[in-house]
Amino acid sequence: DTGVSQNPRHKITKRGQNVTFRCDPISEHNRLYWYRQTLGQGPEFLTYFQNEAQLEKSRLLSDRFSAERPKGSFSTLEIQRTEQGDSAMYLCASSLALTSLQETQYFGPGTRLLVL
Amino acid sequence: AQSVSQHNHHVILSEAASLELGCNYSYGGTVNLFWYVQYPGQHLQLLLKYFSGDPLVKGIKGFEAEFIKSKFSFNLRKPSVQWSDTAEYFCAMFSGGYNKLIFGAGTRLAVHP
């Protein structure tokens, strides 16, 4: 059973650089979510895809953030011109949404980003 | 606005003690409720979930939670904790109108032998 995988697991970058994270969901899961988690807080929703369509974006997702899921399988999250406030754990989750409400999201190990 | 509150940020127990972690949510419609656990160095794992039906749900490792609609609560319980239960516990809700999980801030549990 392959769960959700994320790469890289850790990323250290300098302020102003661009970074890209990848998420591979559980096979055949149609929904893919990105969350951000900072120290002492629960994960906060960033965006989600149903298949390849990005259906919702949080107000947390500034113009410097972009996410794609080009073929409805893996997804990438890019942060341009990183700022120190972007330092966080970025979590990916996937689910098989068969009805509008009953779905369970399974999380990957996350990518921990540190912006110096 | 929808929100989830976990009242205990840090809990310290001795092995064999009973555990109850509080979770309250704010939303007037139909919700799904979850408890996730994050063991040290590991990723978030599903502990248990409530969709509908019996308000008392059982999860893995002897955990259970009770959904009380009138109190907007979904408290997590375990009759006898073990050292291996040391972890951070997150309560979360999902509503179809918003299509996302909303998490509480988490409760960090430390169990001493």
Side-chain angles (χ1 to χ4, degrees):
Chain A
D1 175 29
T2 56
V4 179
S5 61
Q6 293 186 246
N7 288 288
R9 296 290 303 275
H10 303 273
K11 179 71 177 179
I12 300 174
T13 191
K14 293 182 179 179
R15 189 176 53 186
Q17 298 294 304
N18 299 344
V19 294
T20 300
F21 310 141
R22 176 179 169 128
C23 171
D24 287 88
I26 294 172
S27 177
E28 297 179 357
H29 275 191
N30 56 351
R31 284 191 178 176
L32 187 148
Y33 296 80
W34 286 99
Y35 293 84
R36 182 170 68 186
Q37 185 177 19
T38 53
L39 203 61
Q41 299 297 320
E44 294 176 290
F45 170 80
L46 292 178
T47 188
Y48 92 97
F49 294 82
Q50 175 130 344
N51 300 313
E52 66 276 8
Q54 187 174 17
L55 296 187
E56 188 174 342
K57 293 192 289 186
S58 162
R59 284 173 291 178
L60 292 174
L61 215 63
S62 76
D63 291 344
R64 297 184 296 105
F65 288 71
S66 62
E68 295 181 340
R69 194 183 183 197
K71 296 183 179 179
S73 56
F74 73 92
S75 175
T76 58
L77 177 68
E78 181 183 17
I79 309 174
Q80 296 182 326
R81 305 180 303 282
T82 52
E83 301 173 356
Q84 288 182 326
D86 297 331
S87 296
M89 176 75 88
Y90 290 84
L91 298 171
C92 176
S94 71
S95 69
L96 180 61
L98 298 177
T99 69
S100 62
L101 190 59
Q102 293 194 0
E103 65 172 89
T104 300
Q105 294 182 27
Y106 297 90
F107 284 80
T111 295
R112 186 172 295 280
L113 172 66
L114 178 61
V115 182
L116 300 175
Chain B
Q2 297 181 42
S3 64
V4 175
S5 298
Q6 292 182 243
H7 309 296
N8 312 104
H9 296 294
H10 292 91
V11 173
I12 301 173
L13 294 173
S14 298
E15 275 192 318
S18 63
L19 171 72
E20 181 160 4
L21 301 182
C23 172
N24 287 90
Y25 67 93
S26 173
Y27 183 65
T30 303
V31 296
N32 291 345
L33 295 162
F34 303 83
W35 277 96
Y36 285 87
V37 60
Q38 189 164 27
Y39 297 104
Q42 298 187 26
H43 61 280
L44 276 169
Q45 300 173 38
L46 181 68
L47 201 53
L48 49 78
K49 61 187 177 184
Y50 172 78
F51 285 168
S52 62
D54 189 345
L56 186 61
V57 292
K58 296 189 183 300
I60 60 172
K61 303 187 180 185
F63 286 90
E64 64 178 31
E66 185 175 12
F67 170 56
I68 303 179
K69 190 173 181 179
S70 61
K71 295 184 178 181
F72 297 90
S73 69
F74 190 56
N75 292 355
L76 181 70
R77 299 195 293 250
K78 185 171 184 178
S80 176
V81 295
Q82 300 174 318
W83 176 79
S84 58
D85 293 324
T86 294
E88 191 159 17
Y89 293 81
F90 293 94
C91 181
M93 75 170 185
F94 182 94
S95 65
Y98 293 88
N99 289 316
K100 61 189 174 187
L101 281 171
I102 296 174
F103 284 86
T107 296
R108 198 175 290 272
L109 171 67
V111 179
H112 294 301

mmCIF file of all heavy atoms in Angstrom, chain A residues 1 7 20-21 23 25 27 44-46 48 51 60-61 67 70 75-76 79 83 86 88 94 99-100 109 112 116:
data_model
loop_
_atom_site.group_PDB
_atom_site.id
_atom_site.type_symbol
_atom_site.label_atom_id
_atom_site.label_comp_id
_atom_site.label_asym_id
_atom_site.label_seq_id
_atom_site.Cartn_x
_atom_site.Cartn_y
_atom_site.Cartn_z
ATOM 1 N N ASP A 1 0.848 -1.194 0.000
ATOM 2 C CA ASP A 1 0.000 0.000 0.000
ATOM 3 C C ASP A 1 0.882 1.241 0.000
ATOM 4 O O ASP A 1 1.580 1.521 0.954
ATOM 5 C CB ASP A 1 -0.890 0.002 1.243
ATOM 6 C CG ASP A 1 -1.704 1.290 1.350
ATOM 7 O OD1 ASP A 1 -2.005 1.871 0.291
ATOM 8 O OD2 ASP A 1 -2.008 1.703 2.475
ATOM 9 N N ASN A 7 7.972 15.155 -1.955
ATOM 10 C CA ASN A 7 9.389 15.423 -2.151
ATOM 11 C C ASN A 7 9.617 16.897 -2.462
ATOM 12 O O ASN A 7 8.787 17.518 -3.132
ATOM 13 C CB ASN A 7 9.923 14.585 -3.325
ATOM 14 C CG ASN A 7 10.016 13.122 -2.958
ATOM 15 O OD1 ASN A 7 10.870 12.721 -2.186
ATOM 16 N ND2 ASN A 7 9.087 12.335 -3.494
ATOM 17 N N THR A 20 9.931 24.541 -5.380
ATOM 18 C CA THR A 20 8.828 23.724 -5.879
ATOM 19 C C THR A 20 8.779 22.417 -5.117
ATOM 20 O O THR A 20 9.803 21.764 -4.921
ATOM 21 C CB THR A 20 8.992 23.422 -7.378
ATOM 22 O OG1 THR A 20 9.016 24.650 -8.096
ATOM 23 C CG2 THR A 20 7.831 22.569 -7.892
ATOM 24 N N PHE A 21 7.580 22.055 -4.697
ATOM 25 C CA PHE A 21 7.370 20.805 -3.973
ATOM 26 C C PHE A 21 6.478 19.899 -4.810
ATOM 27 O O PHE A 21 5.603 20.378 -5.537
ATOM 28 C CB PHE A 21 6.670 21.046 -2.627
ATOM 29 C CG PHE A 21 7.287 22.115 -1.786
ATOM 30 C CD1 PHE A 21 6.503 22.980 -1.053
ATOM 31 C CD2 PHE A 21 8.669 22.255 -1.715
ATOM 32 C CE1 PHE A 21 7.062 23.974 -0.272
ATOM 33 C CE2 PHE A 21 9.242 23.242 -0.936
ATOM 34 C CZ PHE A 21 8.440 24.112 -0.213
ATOM 35 N N CYS A 23 3.911 16.395 -4.838
ATOM 36 C CA CYS A 23 3.077 15.465 -4.078
ATOM 37 C C CYS A 23 2.547 14.386 -5.013
ATOM 38 O O CYS A 23 1.991 14.684 -6.074
ATOM 39 C CB CYS A 23 1.893 16.199 -3.443
ATOM 40 S SG CYS A 23 0.659 15.093 -2.712
ATOM 41 N N PRO A 25 -0.191 11.512 -4.905
ATOM 42 C CA PRO A 25 -1.290 11.029 -4.073
ATOM 43 C C PRO A 25 -1.428 9.515 -4.138
ATOM 44 O O PRO A 25 -0.732 8.847 -4.909
ATOM 45 C CB PRO A 25 -2.506 11.694 -4.718
ATOM 46 C CG PRO A 25 -2.137 11.782 -6.171
ATOM 47 C CD PRO A 25 -0.663 12.051 -6.187
ATOM 48 N N SER A 27 -2.900 6.285 -5.401
ATOM 49 C CA SER A 27 -3.379 5.984 -6.739
ATOM 50 C C SER A 27 -4.902 5.952 -6.796
ATOM 51 O O SER A 27 -5.552 5.425 -5.894
ATOM 52 C CB SER A 27 -2.825 4.627 -7.170
ATOM 53 O OG SER A 27 -3.309 4.273 -8.419
ATOM 54 N N GLU A 44 -3.471 24.277 7.946
ATOM 55 C CA GLU A 44 -4.411 25.233 7.371
ATOM 56 C C GLU A 44 -4.522 24.978 5.872
ATOM 57 O O GLU A 44 -3.513 24.824 5.173
ATOM 58 C CB GLU A 44 -3.929 26.664 7.600
ATOM 59 C CG GLU A 44 -3.916 27.095 9.066
ATOM 60 C CD GLU A 44 -3.342 28.489 9.212
ATOM 61 O OE1 GLU A 44 -2.128 28.657 9.005
ATOM 62 O OE2 GLU A 44 -4.114 29.414 9.526
ATOM 63 N N PHE A 45 -5.736 24.985 5.405
ATOM 64 C CA PHE A 45 -6.021 24.701 3.994
ATOM 65 C C PHE A 45 -5.416 25.765 3.084
ATOM 66 O O PHE A 45 -5.505 26.963 3.349
ATOM 67 C CB PHE A 45 -7.529 24.648 3.808
ATOM 68 C CG PHE A 45 -7.996 24.612 2.385
ATOM 69 C CD1 PHE A 45 -7.983 23.421 1.667
ATOM 70 C CD2 PHE A 45 -8.446 25.758 1.763
ATOM 71 C CE1 PHE A 45 -8.421 23.383 0.355
ATOM 72 C CE2 PHE A 45 -8.893 25.728 0.452
ATOM 73 C CZ PHE A 45 -8.882 24.540 -0.253
ATOM 74 N N LEU A 46 -4.814 25.299 1.988
ATOM 75 C CA LEU A 46 -4.298 26.216 0.972
ATOM 76 C C LEU A 46 -5.105 26.132 -0.323
ATOM 77 O O LEU A 46 -5.583 27.139 -0.841
ATOM 78 C CB LEU A 46 -2.832 25.905 0.661
ATOM 79 C CG LEU A 46 -1.823 26.184 1.776
ATOM 80 C CD1 LEU A 46 -0.425 25.777 1.327
ATOM 81 C CD2 LEU A 46 -1.849 27.648 2.180
ATOM 82 N N TYR A 48 -7.193 22.992 -3.264
ATOM 83 C CA TYR A 48 -7.444 21.603 -3.579
ATOM 84 C C TYR A 48 -7.827 21.430 -5.045
ATOM 85 O O TYR A 48 -8.276 22.370 -5.705
ATOM 86 C CB TYR A 48 -8.478 20.986 -2.637
ATOM 87 C CG TYR A 48 -9.926 21.034 -3.090
ATOM 88 C CD1 TYR A 48 -10.522 19.943 -3.721
ATOM 89 C CD2 TYR A 48 -10.713 22.152 -2.818
ATOM 90 C CE1 TYR A 48 -11.850 19.968 -4.089
ATOM 91 C CE2 TYR A 48 -12.039 22.178 -3.192
ATOM 92 C CZ TYR A 48 -12.622 21.093 -3.814
ATOM 93 O OH TYR A 48 -13.949 21.121 -4.178
ATOM 94 N N ASN A 51 -9.492 15.965 -9.586
ATOM 95 C CA ASN A 51 -8.782 15.557 -10.807
ATOM 96 C C ASN A 51 -7.781 16.666 -11.165
ATOM 97 O O ASN A 51 -6.987 17.038 -10.330
ATOM 98 C CB ASN A 51 -9.779 15.242 -11.910
ATOM 99 C CG ASN A 51 -10.702 14.105 -11.499
ATOM 100 O OD1 ASN A 51 -10.247 13.078 -11.002
ATOM 101 N ND2 ASN A 51 -12.008 14.286 -11.659
ATOM 102 N N LEU A 60 -4.955 32.488 2.095
ATOM 103 C CA LEU A 60 -3.558 32.346 2.512
ATOM 104 C C LEU A 60 -2.640 32.220 1.315
ATOM 105 O O LEU A 60 -1.439 32.481 1.399
ATOM 106 C CB LEU A 60 -3.392 31.096 3.392
ATOM 107 C CG LEU A 60 -4.044 31.099 4.767
ATOM 108 C CD1 LEU A 60 -3.876 29.726 5.411
ATOM 109 C CD2 LEU A 60 -3.436 32.178 5.645
ATOM 110 N N LEU A 61 -3.195 31.801 0.188
ATOM 111 C CA LEU A 61 -2.397 31.537 -0.994
ATOM 112 C C LEU A 61 -2.209 32.840 -1.772
ATOM 113 O O LEU A 61 -3.058 33.219 -2.582
ATOM 114 C CB LEU A 61 -3.112 30.485 -1.843
ATOM 115 C CG LEU A 61 -2.245 29.478 -2.594
ATOM 116 C CD1 LEU A 61 -1.452 28.634 -1.626
ATOM 117 C CD2 LEU A 61 -3.095 28.600 -3.481
ATOM 118 N N ALA A 67 -0.155 26.306 -7.732
ATOM 119 C CA ALA A 67 -0.232 24.855 -7.661
ATOM 120 C C ALA A 67 -0.813 24.331 -8.950
ATOM 121 O O ALA A 67 -1.651 24.981 -9.584
ATOM 122 C CB ALA A 67 -1.083 24.419 -6.470
ATOM 123 N N PRO A 70 -1.365 18.665 -13.356
ATOM 124 C CA PRO A 70 -1.576 18.670 -14.807
ATOM 125 C C PRO A 70 -2.325 17.476 -15.384
ATOM 126 O O PRO A 70 -3.082 17.616 -16.311
ATOM 127 C CB PRO A 70 -0.151 18.757 -15.362
ATOM 128 C CG PRO A 70 0.735 18.345 -14.246
ATOM 129 C CD PRO A 70 0.045 18.709 -12.996
ATOM 130 N N SER A 75 0.910 16.438 -8.054
ATOM 131 C CA SER A 75 0.712 17.885 -8.000
ATOM 132 C C SER A 75 2.013 18.554 -7.599
ATOM 133 O O SER A 75 2.854 17.949 -6.914
ATOM 134 C CB SER A 75 -0.376 18.236 -6.985
ATOM 135 O OG SER A 75 -0.510 19.637 -6.818
ATOM 136 N N THR A 76 2.175 19.798 -8.024
ATOM 137 C CA THR A 76 3.306 20.607 -7.596
ATOM 138 C C THR A 76 2.799 21.895 -6.960
ATOM 139 O O THR A 76 1.763 22.437 -7.366
ATOM 140 C CB THR A 76 4.238 20.950 -8.769
ATOM 141 O OG1 THR A 76 3.491 21.640 -9.768
ATOM 142 C CG2 THR A 76 4.871 19.697 -9.348
ATOM 143 N N ILE A 79 6.458 28.134 -4.826
ATOM 144 C CA ILE A 79 6.471 29.417 -4.123
ATOM 145 C C ILE A 79 7.545 30.268 -4.784
ATOM 146 O O ILE A 79 8.723 29.888 -4.822
ATOM 147 C CB ILE A 79 6.777 29.281 -2.627
ATOM 148 C CG1 ILE A 79 5.863 28.239 -1.975
ATOM 149 C CG2 ILE A 79 6.605 30.637 -1.935
ATOM 150 C CD1 ILE A 79 6.206 27.946 -0.521
ATOM 151 N N GLU A 83 9.720 34.204 1.161
ATOM 152 C CA GLU A 83 9.899 35.109 2.291
ATOM 153 C C GLU A 83 10.058 34.263 3.551
ATOM 154 O O GLU A 83 9.652 33.103 3.593
ATOM 155 C CB GLU A 83 8.673 36.021 2.430
ATOM 156 C CG GLU A 83 8.393 36.855 1.200
ATOM 157 C CD GLU A 83 7.075 37.619 1.297
ATOM 158 O OE1 GLU A 83 6.351 37.430 2.301
ATOM 159 O OE2 GLU A 83 6.784 38.403 0.362
ATOM 160 N N ASP A 86 7.238 32.279 4.895
ATOM 161 C CA ASP A 86 6.805 31.065 4.203
ATOM 162 C C ASP A 86 7.335 29.807 4.883
ATOM 163 O O ASP A 86 6.924 28.696 4.534
ATOM 164 C CB ASP A 86 7.291 31.075 2.745
ATOM 165 C CG ASP A 86 6.709 32.218 1.942
ATOM 166 O OD1 ASP A 86 5.580 32.653 2.254
ATOM 167 O OD2 ASP A 86 7.389 32.675 0.995
ATOM 168 N N ALA A 88 7.531 26.812 6.944
ATOM 169 C CA ALA A 88 6.422 26.019 7.479
ATOM 170 C C ALA A 88 6.586 24.598 6.969
ATOM 171 O O ALA A 88 7.465 24.286 6.177
ATOM 172 C CB ALA A 88 5.073 26.570 7.020
ATOM 173 N N SER A 94 -4.646 13.348 0.061
ATOM 174 C CA SER A 94 -5.505 12.942 -1.050
ATOM 175 C C SER A 94 -6.705 12.166 -0.527
ATOM 176 O O SER A 94 -6.683 11.643 0.596
ATOM 177 C CB SER A 94 -4.727 12.119 -2.083
ATOM 178 O OG SER A 94 -4.407 10.829 -1.593
ATOM 179 N N THR A 99 -18.957 10.919 -2.719
ATOM 180 C CA THR A 99 -20.130 11.739 -2.462
ATOM 181 C C THR A 99 -19.653 13.115 -2.040
ATOM 182 O O THR A 99 -18.458 13.307 -1.801
ATOM 183 C CB THR A 99 -21.029 11.160 -1.353
ATOM 184 O OG1 THR A 99 -20.330 11.279 -0.095
ATOM 185 C CG2 THR A 99 -21.331 9.701 -1.617
ATOM 186 N N SER A 100 -20.546 14.037 -1.945
ATOM 187 C CA SER A 100 -20.129 15.411 -1.667
ATOM 188 C C SER A 100 -19.598 15.585 -0.259
ATOM 189 O O SER A 100 -18.890 16.535 0.017
ATOM 190 C CB SER A 100 -21.299 16.366 -1.877
ATOM 191 O OG SER A 100 -22.354 16.038 -0.970
ATOM 192 N N PRO A 109 3.968 12.848 4.306
ATOM 193 C CA PRO A 109 4.884 13.203 5.388
ATOM 194 C C PRO A 109 5.213 14.693 5.449
ATOM 195 O O PRO A 109 5.744 15.160 6.450
ATOM 196 C CB PRO A 109 6.135 12.392 5.074
ATOM 197 C CG PRO A 109 6.072 12.195 3.608
ATOM 198 C CD PRO A 109 4.618 12.090 3.246
ATOM 199 N N ARG A 112 9.215 20.162 4.794
ATOM 200 C CA ARG A 112 9.521 21.247 5.735
ATOM 201 C C ARG A 112 10.393 22.267 5.036
ATOM 202 O O ARG A 112 11.488 21.956 4.576
ATOM 203 C CB ARG A 112 10.231 20.719 6.976
ATOM 204 C CG ARG A 112 10.422 21.802 8.040
ATOM 205 C CD ARG A 112 10.946 21.249 9.354
ATOM 206 N NE ARG A 112 10.027 20.342 10.017
ATOM 207 C CZ ARG A 112 8.984 20.730 10.742
ATOM 208 N NH1 ARG A 112 8.716 22.013 10.891
ATOM 209 N NH2 ARG A 112 8.224 19.838 11.329
ATOM 210 N N LEU A 116 15.795 31.251 4.773
ATOM 211 C CA LEU A 116 16.791 31.998 5.551
ATOM 212 C C LEU A 116 16.864 33.458 5.124
ATOM 213 O O LEU A 116 16.524 33.786 3.978
ATOM 214 C CB LEU A 116 18.167 31.346 5.382
ATOM 215 C CG LEU A 116 18.250 29.886 5.841
ATOM 216 C CD1 LEU A 116 19.618 29.322 5.524
ATOM 217 C CD2 LEU A 116 17.946 29.781 7.334
#
